[in-house]
């Protein structure tokens, strides 16, 4: 297991701006022991000038940090109706991925029509040895375990897979334990971790297609009562997963990025094998 820190830890609620530079975040990650950074458009994306992208690559290389995955635009993390548009012109995302020295792109899918575009994008990506993946996510074709497996099989490309994220599965009342990880295993390209407690009085309300509005409160990874991380890592060990595990949570509501990165690393390192 390799630990990756998402630049999301310093994003504002808009998901388009960051309170920290990549230099600050990458130095924080490297000093703590993370092996990679997960890139989002709040730092660099397909909209960014080439000099900004190359500066990020140079900074990461100087610290011996890999870029575990790229999310190349804002609509994908915002999960809006424009999220799947990148599949219809994947070339700029492939260019960005290569420039950053990565091999994995996060995309979005919401409707049946997106499946054929995912096939075409995967075929183009395959020519450049790049993989494409969709996160377990609310209001998408990957809300449920069964739905995710169905789409993965229908896209039917070796370089198209899933980013397992137990918190979103939990919001959709889906099992995220060992049996689910066994089913995801042939398609598992990345792991995202964040934590929350579902409760009626929760201050955060997220709309799902399958469960309606789900109230919950974000908590630290190490806090009890939310996602069962020992179970998650039991499942990852069962399937011999050796890829990246990414601290993906937006912590701004509960703690500063420096504390979030350090405390999350200290908690997760116990699960390293």
């Amino acid at each position: 297991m390799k630990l990756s820190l998402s630049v999301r830890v310093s994003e504002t609620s808009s998901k388009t701006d960051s309170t920290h530079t990549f230099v600050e975040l990458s130095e924080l990650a490297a000093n703590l022991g993370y092996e990679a950074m997960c890139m989002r458009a709040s730092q660099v994306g397909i909209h960014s000038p080439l000099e900004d992208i190359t500066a990020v690559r140079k900074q990461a290389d100087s610290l011996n940090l890999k870029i575990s995955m790229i999310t190349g635009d804002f609509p994908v993390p915002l999960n809006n109706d424009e999220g799947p548009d990148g599949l219809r012109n994947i070339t700029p995302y492939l260019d960005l991925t290569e420039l950053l020295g990565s091999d994995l792109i996060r995309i979005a899918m919401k409707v049946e029509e997106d499946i054929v575009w995912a096939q075409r994008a995967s075929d183009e990506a395959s020519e450049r040895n790049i993989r494409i993946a969709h996160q377990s996510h609310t209001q998408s074709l990957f809300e449920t375990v069964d739905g995710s497996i169905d789409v993965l099989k229908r896209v039917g490309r070796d370089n198209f897979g899933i980013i397992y994220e137990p918190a979103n599965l939990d919001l959709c009342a889906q099992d995220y334990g060992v049996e689910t990880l066994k089913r995801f295993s042939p398609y598992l390209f990345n792991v995202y971790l964040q934590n929350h407690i579902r409760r009626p009085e929760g201050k955060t309300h997220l709309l799902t297609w399958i469960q309606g509005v789900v109230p919950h409160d974000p908590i630290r990874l190490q806090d009890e009562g939310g996602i069962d991380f020992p179970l998650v890592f039991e499942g990852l060990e069962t399937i011999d997963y050796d890829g990246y595990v990414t601290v993906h949570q937006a912590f701004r509501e509960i703690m500063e990025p420096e504390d979030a990165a350090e405390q999350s690393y200290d908690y997760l390192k116990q699960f390293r094998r």
Side-chain angles (χ1 to χ4, degrees), residues 84 87-88 109-118 141 154:
L87 289 173
R88 287 143 176 84
M109 299 172 68
K110 285 183 170 287
V111 297
E112 178 80 12
E113 183 185 357
D114 295 333
I115 292 176
V116 67
W117 288 106
L141 296 185
R154 291 172 66 192

Side-chain angles (χ1 to χ4, degrees), residues 164 178-186 188 191 232-242:
Y164 163 76
V178 177
E179 293 307 312
T180 289
L181 277 162
K182 287 180 180 178
R183 295 182 69 188
F184 283 170
S185 179
L188 185 56
V191 173
V232 166
F233 283 95
E234 177 188 344
L236 292 174
E237 186 173 4
T238 297
I239 64 171
D240 295 321
Y241 178 75
D242 62 356

Side-chain angles (χ1 to χ4, degrees), residues 11 15 40-41 71-80 106 137:
E11 284 182 358
K15 299 187 180 182
R40 284 159 62 101
T71 303
D73 60 27
F74 296 118
V76 169
L78 289 171
N79 196 34
N80 59 27
R106 176 185 165 194
H137 207 289

Side-chain angles (χ1 to χ4, degrees), residues 90-270:
I90 199 66
T91 305
Y93 302 84
L94 300 175
D95 294 341
L96 176 65
T97 304
E98 286 189 339
L99 286 168
L100 290 174
S102 185
D103 72 343
L104 182 60
I105 301 170
R106 176 185 165 194
I107 53 86
M109 299 172 68
K110 285 183 170 287
V111 297
E112 178 80 12
E113 183 185 357
D114 295 333
I115 292 176
V116 67
W117 288 106
Q119 292 172 327
R120 294 173 182 175
S122 297
D123 289 342
E124 184 177 343
S126 180
E127 295 175 0
R128 297 166 70 169
N129 295 314
I130 293 174
R131 302 171 297 156
I132 293 175
H134 197 296
Q135 180 187 348
S136 304
H137 207 289
T138 59
Q139 298 182 68
S140 78
L141 296 185
F142 286 73
E143 263 206 349
T144 68
V145 175
D146 287 344
S148 300
I149 296 294
D150 177 63
V151 174
L152 290 162
K153 288 181 176 179
R154 291 172 66 192
V155 173
R157 301 296 191 270
D158 290 341
N159 67 325
F160 183 85
I162 190 168
I163 307 155
Y164 163 76
E165 203 285 273
N168 269 295
L169 291 172
D170 179 66
L171 288 173
C172 295
Q174 298 292 293
D175 171 73
Y176 58 79
V178 177
E179 293 307 312
T180 289
L181 277 162
K182 287 180 180 178
R183 295 182 69 188
F184 283 170
S185 179
Y187 316 100
L188 185 56
F189 288 175
N190 200 354
V191 173
Y192 267 179
L193 298 183
Q194 52 188 336
N195 202 6
H196 62 240
I197 295 179
R198 282 189 289 137
R199 47 193 172 199
E201 69 275 17
K203 295 179 181 178
T204 301
H205 295 79
L206 191 62
L207 177 64
T208 71
W209 288 343
I210 193 171
Q211 292 290 109
V213 175
V214 182
H216 61 284
D217 289 313
I219 57 175
R220 302 174 303 171
L221 291 188
Q222 67 266 36
D223 290 338
E224 296 182 355
I227 301 303
D228 186 345
F229 288 117
L231 177 65
V232 166
F233 283 95
E234 177 188 344
L236 292 174
E237 186 173 4
T238 297
I239 64 171
D240 295 321
Y241 178 75
D242 62 356
Y244 286 108
V245 171
T246 300
V247 176
H248 176 67
Q249 185 155 336
F251 288 95
R252 297 296 302 174
E253 297 178 40
I254 52 179
M255 61 200 306
E256 292 301 312
E258 292 83 359
D259 296 327
E262 182 174 7
Q263 292 181 29
S264 298
Y265 183 87
D266 288 345
Y267 174 66
L268 292 175
K269 65 183 181 182
Q270 67 181 299

